[in-house]
Amino acid sequence: DLAALGIGYAKLELIPRGRGRLLVRSPQLYHSVEEGNSIDVVMDMVNEGSRRLDNIKIMADVPLNWTKVIEPTSIEALPIGEESRAKLTFHPPDDISPGKYEVRLQFTSNSGGQPVTTDDKTVTIEIRASANILGTLLVILLIVGLVVTIVVFGIRLTRR
C-alpha cells in the first residue's frame, strides 16, 4: 500500500530486551560476638529484573588479618524471579581487641553483556570482651565488705 503512494518507508522490527536487577537481602547486618568466635552471615540474592543474571560474584573487604569463607564465591546464572543463597563466614584473629569492625560486601554481575550494579552492603561486627567472673566476684565482695564496715561503724558511733 505504501509503495503505491510513492513514499519512502522503513520496516521497523522491535526486539524486546530486558535488564537484570540484583537485589541482595540479609536478615541481619549487625552481629555481636565474644572474642574467639566466628561470624556467619547469610545473604539472599534475588533477580528482580526482566533478564537472566550471569556470573554473580561476591567480594568481601575484611579488616586486616581477618579470614573469610564465601560459599559459593560465584553463581553462574540466576533466572528471572529466582533466588539464591550465599553463606559468608568471617574469622577474626586470636589477638583482636574488643570493638566494632566493618566488612564491606560488593556484588557484581552481568545481564546480556552489560554490567549490573548493586549497592554495597556493610556488615558491622562487634567483638565483646569475654567476662572475667573471678574479677567481678572480687569487686562485688569488696563493695559488700565496704558497706558492712560502714554500717558497723555507724551503729557503734550512734551508741556512744
Side-chain angles (χ1 to χ4, degrees), residues 38-64:
S38 62
I39 298 93
D40 293 326
V41 179
V42 176
M43 293 280 177
D44 293 327
M45 290 161 283
V46 181
N47 183 358
E48 285 195 331
S50 56
R51 191 169 190 159
R52 185 183 77 191
L53 289 171
D54 298 314
N55 198 21
I56 301 171
K57 292 184 181 177
I58 305 167
M59 294 169 285
D61 185 21
V62 295
L64 186 64

Side-chain angles (χ1 to χ4, degrees), residues 39-144:
I39 298 93
D40 293 326
V41 179
V42 176
M43 293 280 177
D44 293 327
M45 290 161 283
V46 181
N47 183 358
E48 285 195 331
S50 56
R51 191 169 190 159
R52 185 183 77 191
L53 289 171
D54 298 314
N55 198 21
I56 301 171
K57 292 184 181 177
I58 305 167
M59 294 169 285
D61 185 21
V62 295
L64 186 64
N65 296 330
W66 285 51
T67 57
K68 63 185 175 192
V69 177
I70 302 173
E71 296 174 4
T73 55
S74 66
I75 300 169
E76 294 300 321
L78 189 61
I80 300 168
E82 293 293 317
E83 184 173 324
S84 181
R85 180 168 280 190
K87 181 181 177 187
L88 297 88
T89 305
F90 303 111
H91 302 281
D94 293 333
D95 59 344
I96 192 165
S97 61
K100 289 188 179 180
Y101 298 88
E102 291 186 347
V103 176
R104 195 176 91 206
L105 302 173
Q106 297 171 322
F107 303 88
T108 60
S109 65
N110 293 322
S111 177
Q114 298 292 321
V116 175
T117 58
T118 343
D119 294 335
D120 294 349
K121 299 288 182 187
T122 303
V123 177
T124 304
I125 300 169
E126 179 186 7
I127 305 292
R128 295 185 315 254
S130 56
N132 185 357
I133 296 174
L134 182 61
T136 305
L137 286 175
L138 183 64
V139 169
I140 290 173
L141 288 174
L142 286 173
I143 291 172
V144 168

Side-chain angles (χ1 to χ4, degrees), residues 16-29:
R17 290 191 175 183
R19 184 173 176 117
R21 194 175 95 176
L22 181 63
L23 174 68
V24 179
R25 295 185 296 205
S26 179
Q28 186 174 356
L29 292 175

